[in-house]
Amino acid sequence: MKGKLISIVTNIVLVAVVAAVSFVGFFGGSAVTVSKENSNLYYGAENGEGVSLMFNVYERTDNVLKILDILDEYEAKSTFFIGGSWADDNVDCVREIFKRGHEIASHGYFHKDHSRMSVDQNLEEIRPSVKLLNMICNTNVTLFAPPSGAFGEATLNACLSMDLRVIMWSRDTIDWRDKDVGLIYSRATKSLKSGEFVLMHPTDCTVTALPKILTYIRDNGLCAVTVSENLGE
């Protein structure tokens, strides 16, 4: 009887913890988590030697190709966090990203809210995207960025079981919402320092702002590198 009571109490506590994580996992487009010390969660590279521009991709193949050309012009490298549903329809573009020396990473498959998912649900959403990207590029994807920055303990645990690092950002250009090129540039560059992760998307305004952002990075003695390189890998 005592063991049964302990089990019931334990389950209640677990439910409360999961509910709390779901509640704080996503707020206003940024993650708030109870696990900032989790070994596979990164908001930047503490001892990084470069700046990482992170492109989350679920659309605008035309702009992705423009971004690749701009990155080539500045001899810059980046990490592309790619949605599986987009990758499935844009295999040639995914291969082009990888061919040009950029890092391929997972952004889930259908752009879901991972903070509301169980471990199994997270696995069902992330694992197929990783397998698809690995197959397309014959590579080994090691990074995952949760769509909208929404995640919880279950996401971290699911990624840990797949040897994936969960990548957030140190600054967000909010280019998916704001169309002001100057504002996007300012958010990407103001007081920028080594080790930072800068979140971007393949929008028209980002394509316009990118050359100026890369010029700032170069002129301030920084370099644009992949997330994994920034993390020392």
Side-chain angles (χ1 to χ4, degrees):
M1 182 69 178
K2 183 178 180 180
K4 185 175 181 180
L5 179 59
I6 292 174
S7 178
I8 292 173
V9 172
T10 300
N11 287 335
I12 291 173
V13 171
L14 286 174
V15 169
V17 170
V18 171
V21 170
S22 295
F23 178 73
V24 301
F26 175 73
F27 181 77
S30 61
V32 182
T33 175
V34 297
S35 295
K36 283 194 174 181
E37 302 305 319
N38 190 285
S39 62
N40 67 327
L41 174 61
Y42 297 83
Y43 289 82
E46 188 171 336
N47 298 308
E49 297 184 356
V51 174
S52 295
L53 303 181
M54 302 163 41
F55 293 95
N56 288 354
V57 183
Y58 265 99
E59 59 183 358
R60 296 305 302 267
T61 306
D62 57 334
N63 279 345
V64 172
L65 293 172
K66 292 175 184 176
I67 287 168
L68 290 177
D69 288 341
I70 295 170
L71 292 172
D72 280 352
E73 181 182 348
Y74 285 81
E75 299 182 344
K77 299 303 178 186
S78 180
T79 299
F80 289 77
F81 291 86
I82 298 173
S85 57
W86 180 85
D88 196 24
D89 294 329
N90 295 274
V91 172
D92 288 343
C93 188
V94 175
R95 285 181 178 150
E96 186 66 19
I97 294 169
F98 186 70
K99 178 183 176 182
R100 297 205 197 184
H102 303 290
E103 184 173 32
I104 300 293
S106 171
H107 198 39
Y109 207 93
F110 289 115
H111 206 280
K112 293 185 177 180
D113 183 348
H114 286 261
S115 70
R116 299 179 180 274
M117 297 181 185
S118 66
V119 171
D120 286 343
Q121 289 171 328
N122 270 279
L123 289 171
E124 289 172 1
E125 174 68 8
I126 300 169
R127 184 178 283 138
S129 72
V130 171
K131 287 184 176 179
L132 177 61
L133 294 170
N134 285 343
M135 181 182 68
I136 291 174
C137 299
N138 190 27
T139 188
N140 180 33
V141 169
T142 61
L143 306 178
F144 166 73
S148 303
F151 69 94
E153 289 289 343
T155 313
L156 298 175
N157 290 332
C159 287
L160 196 60
S161 73
M162 291 184 284
D163 293 323
L164 293 175
R165 295 187 179 192
V166 178
I167 305 300
M168 293 298 291
W169 58 82
S170 60
R171 58 177 67 212
D172 186 356
T173 60
I174 320 180
D175 53 357
W176 56 271
R177 185 192 70 189
D178 297 332
K179 309 305 178 185
D180 186 324
V181 173
L183 191 57
I184 292 169
Y185 168 78
S186 177
R187 287 172 178 160
T189 61
K190 186 177 181 180
S191 302
L192 186 66
K193 59 185 181 297
S194 292
E196 292 212 60
F197 296 167
V198 183
L199 180 60
M200 311 178 83
H201 301 80
T203 68
D204 291 338
C205 289
T206 294
V207 170
T208 301
L210 186 57
K212 190 177 178 182
I213 291 170
L214 290 169
T215 297
Y216 177 93
I217 291 173
R218 182 190 61 198
D219 291 350
N220 283 271
L222 300 169
C223 56
V225 301
T226 67
V227 168
S228 287
E229 186 176 350
N230 223 342
L231 291 173
E233 294 185 351

